[in-house]
Amino acid sequence: MTENTRREFIKNTAVASAAFLTPKLAAGVIGANDRIRIGMIGVGSRGQDLLKEIVAVPNVEVVAMADVYTRRFDEVKRVVPNIQTFGDHRRLLEMKDIDGVIVASPLHIHAKHFVDAIAAGKDLYAEKTMTWSIPEAEKCLNAARNSDRVVQIGLQHESGGPFADAKQWLGQGIVGKVTLVDSWMSRNTPHGQGQWVRQPAADCTAANVNWQAFLNGRPDKGFDAYRFMNWRLYWMFSGGNVTENMIHQIAWIMSALDLPLPTAANMSGGIFSEKDGREVPDTITVTLEFPTETVVTWQSTFSNSRYGLGQKILGSDGTIEYIAGATDMVSGESEEQIHYYPEKVNRPSGEAITGSNRGVNHMANWIDCMRTRKTPNAPVELGYRSAVAAHMANISYRQRRRITLEEAKAFQPEF
Ligand SMILES: NC(=O)c1ccc[n+]([C@@H]2O[C@H](COP(=O)([O-])OP(=O)(O)OC[C@H]3O[C@@H](n4cnc5c(N)ncnc54)[C@H](O)[C@@H]3O)[C@@H](O)[C@H]2O)c1
């Protein structure tokens, strides 16, 4: 089908109620060589990284963007001069000839953008963490399941070579029974400069930002450029480092080991690195209990970066050790490496192995799946499971007690 006939087909199959394509009609319309048209919602720091990734994928065109801050239009036009810009994401979703949407808005708006994009019949690349709360995660999971849209969550390590290595070794049975997974992520900043803090630009004013759209129902105490830029620091917009970073690792561990939802979570810590008015902790220890007789721990600090980021899968027959992200690692070797080490007591003739899988680009994987209608590497189910685990940890921290899955599911978050 040529580009024009495809557009004509889409136009003719659109139902009368404005922008709504029925999923069945939309599915399969994209041919192997058709140009895919993408819209982006929330094109700040991460969104602009994703923009660079998507424009590098062959046969893809970014045609429209929606953001509540006018500065973003100028920034994106430097990359895509003819892009159509909207202040309201719903106008973008009304465009019938957009095939897929990339959402990189702040966490507390993910669920709205997710549900609206699916309802408009768009395939979706949704940044992690999938949602700000557990009830929202359930809503998004149901919306995706009741459609046939291709949904990729922005958990890009699912497409990486080390993940493929870990899956391969686990599949070969050379790791044995895994009772404990130990993971961590550590960063540092110069004294007096808190992790994540961004100074608002001079044009970050009430005239240039749609503050109400950003708030998304949160209490309005007047326009606040600092909060708008630093939404990560406040519970009403964010889940802190658990939803910013633990999510990548917990999703990786859960999908590598095929773990179901945790049965319980415990999280402790506090704001110890920089007392700059933030609400979310910088020093964290999380323990997640799984019904598979597996415990997963994750630790984090913003006051030391020596050990970077890592995961150790501790099995009765072998260990998988993944280390990445630090410039000053104990090994002094490459930035990212994964190894398997046999437990000699159970595999006396086992050999150490260094990972060699190459992985694929996560964005390109989404585009491929839009054409083939296959399930992408980070599907909505993983977005859901990892989001629930992350929120269980935060609920435990905020209630200062161990929390079960049932308690977490019944918990109604407040702003
Ligand atoms: N996968 C990764 O490795 C990775 C890395 C960084 C960030 N992220 C995720 O990306 C998301 C965005 O993070 P960021 O650092 O780019 O934040 P950011 O504040 O830099 O960008 C968010 C953008 O969304 C816009 N926005 C706010 N409200 C909106 C609304 N109602 N409609 C449309 N646009 C709106 C803002 O104006 C801004 O341009 C977060 O969920 C974050 O966790 C993922």
Side-chain angles (χ1 to χ4, degrees):
M1 194 181 285
T2 66
E3 187 66 4
N4 280 345
T5 53
R6 182 171 80 94
R7 301 271 170 259
E8 208 45 42
F9 180 72
I10 292 175
K11 216 161 82 192
N12 293 339
T13 52
V15 295
S17 62
F20 200 88
L21 277 177
T22 65
K24 282 275 177 287
L25 289 173
V29 172
I30 302 166
N33 299 313
D34 278 343
R35 213 163 162 75
I36 288 186
R37 289 165 61 92
I38 297 294
M40 296 188 71
I41 299 176
V43 201
S45 166
R46 181 60 179 167
Q48 290 177 40
D49 285 345
L50 295 177
L51 175 67
K52 285 181 205 131
E53 278 191 40
I54 189 82
V55 295
V57 180
N59 242 349
V60 173
E61 195 180 355
V62 181
V63 294
M65 67 170 287
D67 202 290
V68 296
Y69 181 14
T70 53
R71 180 190 187 86
R72 304 303 183 210
F73 301 152
D74 301 329
E75 289 172 344
V76 173
K77 279 182 177 171
R78 279 182 223 134
V79 183
V80 186
N82 296 326
I83 196 163
Q84 201 163 342
T85 59
F86 298 98
D88 184 333
H89 74 283
R90 291 170 298 185
R91 300 289 85 77
L92 179 146
L93 294 176
E94 281 168 5
M95 288 180 68
K96 297 180 181 64
D97 55 357
I98 285 183
D99 306 302
V101 171
I102 298 172
V103 171
S105 49
L107 180 65
H108 70 294
I109 323 175
H110 283 184
K112 175 187 267 188
H113 290 155
F114 188 115
V115 170
D116 287 357
I118 298 289
K122 310 301 184 195
D123 290 330
L124 176 63
Y125 185 106
E127 259 311 338
K128 57 74 189 166
T129 292
M130 193 165 90
T131 60
W132 176 82
S133 72
I134 294 177
E136 287 176 347
E138 288 179 341
K139 201 170 159 191
C140 289
L141 178 68
N142 289 334
R145 276 188 179 160
N146 291 329
S147 79
D148 62 358
R149 298 298 78 202
V150 171
V151 178
Q152 173 89 297
I153 307 299
L155 295 162
Q156 65 271 18
H157 303 285
E158 298 300 301
S159 290
F163 180 76
D165 292 321
K167 261 311 217 201
Q168 190 180 327
W169 297 329
L170 286 159
Q172 288 167 351
I174 57 174
V175 182
K177 177 168 174 156
V178 176
T179 49
L180 186 64
V181 180
D182 176 19
S183 63
W184 72 95
M185 180 268 178
S186 53
R187 282 184 181 171
N188 205 351
T189 47
H191 293 303
Q193 195 177 307
Q195 178 67 232
W196 291 330
V197 173
R198 299 181 288 186
Q199 292 311 320
D203 69 359
C204 190
T205 62
N208 294 332
V209 173
N210 182 340
W211 177 238
Q212 291 305 326
F214 166 75
L215 281 179
N216 190 30
R218 272 64 184 167
D220 185 2
K221 295 184 185 148
F223 177 72
D224 186 334
Y226 187 86
R227 280 182 176 248
F228 175 69
M229 288 306 297
N230 296 305
W231 55 267
R232 274 185 179 77
L233 310 184
Y234 306 101
W235 288 118
M236 71 170 76
F237 309 122
S238 172
N241 204 21
V242 162
T243 51
E244 287 303 306
N245 289 303
M246 184 186 90
I247 193 75
H248 282 300
Q249 294 174 269
I250 197 65
W252 195 98
I253 293 163
M254 289 174 89
S255 54
L257 294 172
D258 285 328
L259 295 177
L261 292 175
T263 45
N266 224 323
M267 169 165 153
S268 55
I271 303 166
F272 305 147
S273 293
E274 294 290 342
K275 297 185 194 303
D276 54 9
R278 71 182 60 208
E279 295 171 354
V280 298
D282 49 54
T283 306
I284 297 171
T285 297
V286 173
T287 307
L288 296 168
E289 299 166 33
F290 289 90
T292 47
E293 301 184 344
T294 313
V295 169
V296 178
T297 65
W298 184 81
Q299 296 178 52
S300 182
T301 173
F302 283 168
S303 285
N304 182 292
S305 62
R306 183 165 177 82
Y307 294 99
L309 173 160
Q311 283 117 234
K312 290 177 187 160
I313 296 179
L314 306 174
S316 55
D317 296 7
T319 303
I320 296 175
E321 183 190 85
Y322 170 71
I323 296 180
T327 50
D328 185 20
M329 294 304 302
V330 267
S331 66
E333 292 173 29
S334 78
E335 275 223 335
E336 180 179 67
Q337 40 183 307
I338 188 160
H339 296 287
Y340 166 82
Y341 300 107
E343 278 288 289
K344 290 287 183 187
V345 69
N346 286 323
R347 289 194 73 229
S349 54
E351 303 274 337
I353 314 170
T354 299
S356 57
N357 279 294
R358 294 183 60 123
V360 296
N361 178 276
H362 199 54
M363 186 61 79
N365 169 251
W366 177 54
I367 298 289
D368 278 350
C369 293
M370 285 177 71
R371 295 186 195 281
T372 60
R373 313 312 292 174
K374 286 191 181 150
T375 303
N377 287 340
V380 65
E381 283 74 18
L382 181 63
Y384 170 77
R385 272 189 289 152
S386 56
V388 172
H391 294 310
M392 285 175 70
N394 273 336
I395 294 168
S396 157
Y397 173 79
R398 298 188 73 183
Q399 298 203 353
R400 295 281 172 199
R401 67 184 181 91
R402 177 179 177 272
I403 194 111
T404 65
L405 176 62
E406 292 68 32
E407 289 169 325
K409 281 191 165 183
F411 179 77
Q412 285 305 323
E414 287 172 14
F415 299 149

